[in-house]
Amino acid sequence: MAPKPGSATTPKKATATSSKSSSNKAKVPSSKPAKDLTEQSAVAVNEKEKKKQNFIIRTIWTLVMIGGFFLIIAAGHIYIIGLVVLIQILAFKEVITLAAKPSIEKKLPWGRTLNWYFLATTIYFLEGESVIYYFKHIVLVDSFLLPLAINHRFFSYCLYIIGFVFFVFSLEKNHYKFQFTQFCITHMALLLVVIQGNFIVSNIFSGIFWFFVPAALVITNDIFAYLCGITFGRTPLIKISPKKTVEGFVGAWICTILMAIILCHFLIRFDYFICPMKDLGTNAWSNTTCTPNPVFLSSAHRVPTFLQPLLHTDRVSFPAIHFHVAVLATFASLIAPFGGFFASGLKRSFQVKDFGNTIPGHGGIVDRFDCQFVMGFFCYLYYDTFVATHGATMGSVLQSAILNLDHKDQIQLTVSLTKYLANNGIIDEKVVKCITSVVGEDYY
């Protein structure tokens, strides 16, 4: 019998068709996960390629910086000082740029101009003071430089006060809080970057050793902290820098001390590194000689009682500088890294990854030299307190004679010194007669 319209067979067919249709629909979405996986894979490949490219750029610029650093070391003191001043300026620029962006939006005039004015004034005061201190025998006998040298601090203060007054005049209603914040950030940058950097310049005057070793120890510690951290690191060190570990921190300390002693053992053989700067034209190819500081000379040291049975002696001989570089290495490992942690906190406060892009693959100058400023300042204080020999120098004697004696006493001092040199056969007696005939009998 033929089925009637509307019988059960019609719904069955419809159901079958519906079922087939629904199964086809169910298969369609399955292509989306595959598409998503393809996109994710492409993103992963791009990300991997970016990391590879960044690694290559970072490596190339690391080699460039290392090569350039050694080239500048060999070029001489004046180029090293120029490098430090350049780093000071670039680091100051990066810090100020972070804080100055809102001032551009607010269209406040003179903000950046005042920042650079205060930087120039600070550098004039600090670097000028250093030059006067180390080259008094040149500065104090030059008729043009003499007034600048004698009144240097007063001139520097006047320059600062001009900037201070100009800042007050530049204050605008509804922007007081922001402008005073900028003023404070500028002075913080001057204190932490420029002023601390000036002590690094003082270290250069004392000898390239006191510049090169602290800088090398910070770099060494950074390398070993990374290596020890990825090898043994388990315990987080500080929240502000989550990747730092206690194991990496301690391991880097031990390795840095060992490297410091090895580096010191090599460097003290060269007068170019250990001699204080006497001539701005000195370089690695100059015939540099001097009487070494006693710390660079071998001397006897008493062995602790508990080590005497092991070493079979109660005294050993070695240069005391090995002990001093161990102290510097300890500071470079345990304290200087907090300069980096401080910089990390500052970046997070401004919500930026790096201070800038001055060095391709490495970020900004501050990202690379944040610990160096702290280390350089400590090295200056340590050297001045425990290593420097504070005797009378030609510069200090000359300064005392120029500032404290009148012209008559200065002439008499000259005649007396000339006679002393002639009596000891250092100069000819004719020089004494020539001088005394010119100045007259009043100064005999």
Side-chain angles (χ1 to χ4, degrees):
M1 179 187 282
K4 295 180 180 179
S7 65
T9 56
T10 303
K12 284 181 182 178
K13 188 174 180 181
T15 303
T17 305
S18 171
S19 173
K20 186 176 179 180
S21 174
S22 64
S23 71
N24 288 337
K25 287 181 181 179
K27 290 179 183 179
V28 173
S30 65
S31 63
K32 288 186 179 180
K35 187 177 180 181
D36 291 342
L37 287 174
T38 304
E39 291 177 354
Q40 290 175 6
S41 177
V43 170
V45 170
N46 286 338
E47 193 67 28
K48 187 176 180 181
E49 192 64 31
K50 285 181 181 178
K51 288 183 179 180
K52 181 181 177 181
Q53 193 68 24
N54 186 62
F55 175 78
I56 293 172
I57 294 173
R58 188 182 180 93
T59 303
I60 291 172
W61 276 94
T62 298
L63 296 175
V64 169
M65 286 191 294
I66 292 173
F69 180 68
F70 281 106
L71 184 63
I72 290 173
I73 290 291
H77 299 77
I78 188 65
Y79 292 94
I80 303 172
I81 293 171
L83 173 65
V84 174
V85 173
L86 178 63
I87 290 173
Q88 285 177 297
I89 294 172
L90 293 176
F92 177 82
K93 175 181 175 291
E94 289 177 355
V95 175
I96 292 304
T97 300
L98 282 181
K101 288 180 180 178
S103 66
I104 299 173
E105 298 171 2
K106 296 175 184 291
K107 297 180 179 179
L108 294 174
W110 307 114
R112 292 180 67 84
T113 303
L114 278 171
N115 290 337
W116 288 106
Y117 177 83
F118 282 124
L119 172 65
T121 300
T122 305
I123 289 179
Y124 168 76
F125 168 66
L126 296 172
E127 311 304 351
E129 190 101 319
S130 297
V131 170
I132 291 169
Y133 180 81
Y134 286 96
F135 295 99
K136 289 173 184 172
H137 58 289
I138 297 175
V139 175
L140 292 175
V141 297
D142 189 285
S143 59
F144 173 75
L145 295 176
L146 181 59
L148 295 176
I150 295 175
N151 305 305
H152 176 73
R153 293 188 178 184
F154 179 77
F155 289 152
S156 300
Y157 177 76
C158 290
L159 289 172
Y160 177 81
I161 284 298
I162 291 171
F164 177 80
V165 171
F166 198 78
F167 166 75
V168 175
F169 268 112
S170 70
L171 292 173
E172 294 192 8
K173 191 176 181 180
N174 301 325
H175 296 298
Y176 294 151
K177 184 176 181 180
F178 173 78
Q179 288 180 291
F180 276 103
T181 301
Q182 296 295 302
F183 186 78
C184 293
I185 292 174
T186 299
H187 283 69
M188 182 197 76
L190 291 173
L191 173 64
L192 298 179
V193 174
V194 183
I195 293 178
Q196 288 194 127
N198 173 70
F199 291 103
I200 298 177
V201 174
S202 298
N203 293 339
I204 298 169
F205 284 122
S206 301
I208 294 177
F209 181 92
W210 301 103
F211 164 76
F212 182 81
V213 170
L217 292 181
V218 170
I219 296 170
T220 300
N221 180 258
D222 193 41
I223 294 171
F224 280 109
Y226 173 76
L227 294 177
C228 294
I230 62 173
T231 305
F232 310 108
R234 296 291 183 275
T235 312
L237 175 67
I238 188 169
K239 292 181 180 179
I240 197 74
S241 191
K243 293 183 180 179
K244 305 294 182 183
T245 63
V246 174
E247 293 81 3
F249 197 66
V250 175
W253 174 31
I254 297 170
C255 294
T256 304
I257 290 178
L258 295 176
M259 289 300 296
I261 294 173
I262 295 171
L263 181 64
C264 174
H265 181 72
F266 175 75
L267 291 179
I268 61 175
R269 302 169 184 232
F270 301 95
D271 286 346
Y272 177 65
F273 281 94
I274 66 176
C275 289
M277 184 176 72
K278 295 181 179 179
D279 183 6
L280 285 173
T282 304
N283 56 52
W285 296 273
S286 301
N287 186 22
T288 305
T289 57
C290 65
T291 301
N293 188 298
V295 297
F296 294 112
L297 303 176
S298 184
S299 58
H301 301 272
R302 184 173 179 80
V303 177
T305 306
F306 68 94
L307 288 177
Q308 291 180 8
L310 181 64
L311 299 177
H312 305 290
T313 182
D314 62 342
R315 290 185 180 277
V316 293
S317 294
F318 62 89
I321 191 62
H322 290 305
F323 170 77
H324 294 300
V325 295
V327 175
L328 294 178
T330 298
F331 186 89
S333 303
L334 304 184
I335 306 299
F338 282 86
F341 301 150
F342 178 87
S344 296
L346 187 61
K347 284 189 289 186
R348 281 167 172 72
S349 69
F350 285 99
Q351 299 179 342
V352 295
K353 182 182 178 182
D354 296 314
F355 280 94
N357 55 1
T358 308
I359 310 172
H362 289 269
I365 291 291
V366 180
D367 295 296
R368 293 278 67 85
F369 295 94
D370 43 17
C371 303
Q372 296 286 2
F373 295 115
V374 179
M375 184 69 199
F377 192 6
F378 173 78
C379 181
Y380 168 81
L381 294 174
Y382 186 86
Y383 170 83
D384 192 63
T385 305
F386 300 108
V387 179
T389 52
H390 297 287
T393 63
M394 183 177 69
S396 62
V397 172
L398 186 61
Q399 181 187 33
S400 179
I402 291 175
L403 299 182
N404 301 320
L405 300 179
D406 58 27
H407 293 316
K408 183 176 180 179
D409 289 337
Q410 289 171 358
I411 294 173
Q412 190 170 358
L413 175 64
T414 303
V415 173
S416 300
L417 184 60
T418 305
K419 287 183 177 180
Y420 168 80
L421 294 174
N423 292 336
N424 285 274
I426 299 173
I427 62 175
D428 195 281
E429 188 71 31
K430 294 179 180 178
V431 178
V432 180
K433 293 180 179 179
C434 180
I435 292 177
T436 53
S437 65
V438 172
V439 299
E441 297 181 359
D442 294 341
Y443 302 101
Y444 281 47

